[in-house]
Amino acid sequence: RATTPASLLQPLAFLLKHGLHSNPLVLTRLFSAAGSAAPALLEPLVAALLRPGLPLDAFLLNTLIRAHVASPLPSARRRAAAFFPLMLRRGVAPNKFTFPFLLKSCAAMPGSPAAGLQAHAAALKFGFAADHYVSNTLIHMYSCFGAGFLGDARNVFDRTPKDSAVTWSAMIGGYVRGGLSSDAVMLFREMQASGVRPDEVTVLGVLSAAADLGALELTRWVERFVAREGIGRSVTLCNALIDTLAKCGDVDGAVAVFEGMEERTVVSWTSVIDALAMEGRGKEAVAVFEEMKAVGVPPDDVAFTGVLTACSHAGMVDEGRGYFDSMKTEHGIEPKIEHYGCMVDMFGRAGMVEQGLDFVRAMPMKPNPIIWRTLVAACRAHGRLELGESISRDLLKEYPAHEANYVMLSNVFALTQRWKEKSEIRREMSKRGITKVPGCSLVELDGEVHEFIAGDESHPQYKEIYRMVEEMSRELRRIGHIAATSEVLLDLDEEDKEGALQWHSEKLAIAFVLLRTPPGTQVRVVKNLRVCSDCHAAIKCISQVYNREIIVRDRSRFHRFKDGSCSCKDFW
């Protein structure tokens, strides 16, 4: 069997010499070997050998679809579905093996759902839509098309016999991909009640949902479940556990899983480095990175993103510069825009705005809007408001449809007390139909995830929660905390709630946990936006007044509040 491009050429020459290139069985094996051993040769071979007069059968055409779907080349994957119309034109009847391959090829083209709908119609026409493998692939395909097609995936799921973990895993994975992680967790619980034993794929889907929700209790339960049920702790599963525990705030638990692994990949090392970086434990992250190199695991570009992020969040500028320079000089890795972004963030956090600007101007590629917004944030934090305004205006001219650019310029106007210009920015947003992302915070309690939106009153206990927030405000005033009213003008665009800072979503979430848990219980919150300065200062005081450890994961890092201080040392 051919395992390399070179080993494929000898049998190719043999079949051409002996006139076997018109034999469908021989071509089937050739195309299958090319798909696995020499993907770059697959399309040229098909173009040369799949001639109009060649007799075709389902085995050959199914192999072609499968080989193209599995190809690492986008051009080959896009062509996979084209062999099905050829099958119909040549009068070859599809079989039950045709449609799983065909539907996978459609799933690989999420921007073209029409092809998938046609494939589903064909499966119905030829009587294969009820086949178990076809149904499972249909669920996967529809979920790959985006949240708008999850209803179609669920309709197929509801009509499919649910005696296989594959069926449940496909729908659970679909919910996770569509951003409906709570639905994924609920479906997993239904799966348990049905008596179907989850497999590794199911567990990986549930861990993805738990990471998205910050559901630490669920993650720990899954870890115990894997041990109890004898599900093998593969490297992939352990890597997922490390990532999920870290994203749920249990970095020490993530490190423990890593240390217990018999086999580690670069993904394992990178996951731990990222986990430590997100919590501001830069020196530990750097130590792990150095250990990785010492044991002979060469760092890849993702590992460098992790260690640069660690240096940035910990204020380790000199170390970060050294690692960035070593990418090319020691490891032959060309820095990508993500690495340049880490460096700009590092300079900005350290107050080195001019160095950050010089670094951006010297970049070998065009800076993206994220890099410019990172500089604006640094200008705002370190009083370079004129420069921040100039960059924000340039961003608005080039990217007028992105709400973050309006918010940043509005924030600069608020800091300089230019209320008229700030109002004009908001009117311009309204005129363009640009909406702002509302602040949203999640907490897990007794196995259930609760969601809070700034100023929202949809929670069944909202009256008690609001009373608790008011009590928290009184306690904070009692110890001398004064709300940063300027922050109302700055970050209210993110929270989308005109009014007091006390109704920000993370404060509602914390109040709920204080109400529902005994004294001393740890509070864990996941927020979709950056924690504003007032909430950061307030939560430090809350941790002191109520003697609670409070962990908040926002869109950029973890904050561990305890005894009136934060792990980020107010550097975020």
Side-chain angles (χ1 to χ4, degrees):
R1 181 177 176 83
T3 56
T4 64
S7 65
L8 187 70
L9 296 177
Q10 185 176 357
L12 174 60
F14 179 85
L15 69 89
L16 289 172
K17 179 179 178 181
H18 294 277
L20 297 174
H21 54 283
S22 296
N23 185 313
L25 180 59
V26 172
L27 286 182
T28 297
R29 292 183 175 177
L30 177 69
F31 291 144
S32 178
S36 57
L41 293 179
L42 179 61
E43 290 185 89
L45 284 174
V46 171
L49 299 175
L50 202 67
R51 295 176 178 174
L54 180 75
L56 302 177
D57 59 24
F59 187 28
L60 171 57
L61 290 166
N62 288 347
T63 299
L64 281 170
I65 296 172
R66 179 176 60 183
H68 282 74
V69 168
S71 173
L73 304 175
S75 60
R77 292 198 299 271
R78 285 193 295 269
R79 198 184 168 200
F83 293 101
F84 184 68
L86 174 64
M87 176 182 277
L88 300 183
R89 288 196 304 271
R90 298 288 290 272
V92 178
N95 56 32
K96 67 177 184 180
F97 300 107
T98 305
F99 287 98
F101 301 146
L102 175 63
L103 294 167
K104 283 181 183 177
S105 74
C106 296
M109 302 184 294
S112 305
L117 296 171
Q118 291 171 358
H120 189 179
L124 288 166
K125 177 182 176 181
F126 286 98
F128 294 111
D131 177 84
H132 214 77
Y133 293 104
V134 175
S135 295
N136 291 339
T137 317
L138 275 168
I139 296 168
H140 170 73
M141 180 193 75
Y142 278 122
S143 66
C144 287
F145 289 162
F149 287 87
L150 282 176
D152 300 279
R154 184 62 195 240
N155 287 337
V156 176
F157 174 80
D158 289 339
R159 293 196 302 268
T160 303
K162 300 170 187 62
D163 53 0
S164 163
V166 177
T167 306
W168 291 91
S169 299
M171 193 65 238
I172 289 169
Y175 277 138
V176 173
R177 274 190 298 275
L180 301 178
S181 293
S182 294
D183 294 55
V185 172
M186 286 191 288
L187 192 62
F188 175 63
R189 289 176 178 146
E190 287 180 35
M191 179 184 184
Q192 291 178 276
S194 75
V196 176
R197 184 176 183 269
D199 60 12
E200 182 178 321
V201 177
T202 316
V203 171
L204 290 173
V206 175
L207 287 174
S208 293
D212 184 43
L213 298 169
L216 182 58
E217 293 172 27
L218 173 62
T219 305
R220 288 173 173 165
W221 181 91
V222 169
E223 187 176 12
R224 293 192 298 271
F225 174 82
V226 166
R228 186 173 67 246
E229 294 296 315
I231 298 173
R233 287 173 70 104
S234 67
V235 174
T236 302
L237 181 55
C238 288
N239 290 344
L241 264 173
I242 292 169
D243 181 65
T244 305
L245 284 166
K247 287 179 177 174
C248 293
D250 186 8
V251 175
D252 292 331
V255 172
V257 172
F258 173 78
E259 291 176 343
M261 293 175 69
E262 295 180 5
E263 179 188 353
R264 297 167 181 166
T265 64
V266 68
V267 175
S268 314
W269 291 93
T270 303
S271 297
V272 171
I273 293 167
D274 288 344
L276 293 165
M278 282 288 287
E279 206 173 68
R281 293 159 66 171
K283 291 183 179 178
E284 293 174 70
V286 167
V288 172
F289 184 81
E290 290 298 331
E291 183 186 351
M292 176 180 70
K293 292 195 296 180
V295 299
V297 178
D300 59 10
D301 62 315
V302 180
F304 273 105
T305 301
V307 76
L308 290 174
T309 301
C311 292
S312 176
H313 284 197
M316 300 165 63
V317 178
D318 292 338
E319 293 88 342
R321 278 174 162 161
Y323 284 124
F324 182 84
D325 292 340
S326 74
M327 290 182 68
K328 273 203 292 191
T329 58
E330 295 180 24
H331 301 278
I333 298 174
E334 193 68 36
K336 297 179 179 177
I337 197 160
E338 293 86 357
H339 304 107
Y340 284 94
C342 289
M343 292 300 295
V344 175
D345 184 60
M346 187 184 307
F347 289 129
R349 288 172 186 267
M352 302 165 67
V353 179
E354 292 298 336
Q355 291 93 325
L357 184 58
D358 291 340
F359 187 82
V360 171
R361 287 172 174 161
M363 284 173 58
M365 73 279 286
K366 180 182 177 182
N368 63 18
I370 296 172
I371 286 179
W372 286 119
R373 284 198 289 269
T374 301
L375 263 183
V376 174
C379 291
R380 172 184 144 184
H382 300 288
R384 297 296 307 278
L385 300 182
E386 189 175 332
L387 177 59
E389 179 181 344
S390 173
I391 296 172
S392 296
R393 288 188 182 278
D394 290 341
L395 273 172
L396 262 183
K397 287 176 188 174
E398 192 167 358
Y399 304 96
H402 202 297
E403 57 93 14
N405 299 329
Y406 291 89
V407 171
M408 297 199 88
L409 185 55
S410 176
N411 290 345
V412 172
F413 288 150
L415 268 178
T416 52
Q417 300 186 7
R418 291 151 67 185
W419 314 125
K420 182 180 177 182
E421 289 95 330
K422 178 180 170 66
S423 297
E424 287 172 357
I425 287 289
R426 298 194 59 145
R427 279 196 295 272
E428 183 67 18
M429 290 180 71
S430 258
K431 188 170 76 174
R432 290 179 176 267
I434 296 171
T435 56
K436 296 157 289 189
V437 178
C440 171
S441 294
L442 304 174
V443 292
E444 180 194 29
L445 200 61
D446 300 327
E448 184 178 355
V449 176
H450 299 261
E451 181 180 52
F452 298 91
I453 297 173
D456 186 29
E457 297 182 354
S458 62
H459 194 280
Q461 289 183 263
Y462 83 90
K463 290 183 179 177
E464 298 97 311
I465 292 168
Y466 275 45
R467 282 197 291 270
M468 185 67 199
V469 172
E470 289 169 350
E471 179 198 305
M472 286 160 46
S473 297
R474 287 194 297 271
E475 289 293 320
L476 296 192
R477 284 195 296 271
R478 184 179 60 79
I479 65 169
H481 171 72
I482 300 173
T485 53
S486 64
E487 199 67 20
V488 176
L489 305 169
L490 294 175
D491 277 299
L492 206 50
D493 292 300
E494 289 186 332
E495 291 290 347
D496 197 26
K497 182 68 182 175
E498 294 287 346
L501 286 158
Q502 66 184 28
W503 308 122
H504 279 195
S505 62
E506 58 268 55
K507 289 180 180 173
L508 299 179
I510 291 169
F512 172 71
V513 178
L514 292 178
L515 277 172
R516 291 281 301 273
T517 59
T521 305
Q522 187 185 70
V523 181
R524 296 187 308 277
V525 180
V526 175
K527 187 176 180 185
N528 65 331
L529 302 174
R530 180 186 68 84
V531 175
C532 74
S533 298
D534 178 78
C535 286
H536 190 271
I539 297 170
K540 287 197 295 183
C541 295
I542 292 168
S543 72
Q544 181 180 10
V545 170
Y546 291 91
N547 193 27
R548 299 283 190 117
E549 183 180 40
I550 302 172
I551 299 173
V552 179
R553 183 185 101 195
D554 69 9
R555 69 182 177 193
S556 62
R557 69 168 296 149
F558 275 95
H559 300 267
R560 189 180 294 270
F561 300 91
K562 190 174 182 180
D563 299 327
S565 62
C566 179
S567 59
C568 76
K569 300 180 176 61
D570 300 333
F571 186 86
W572 90 102

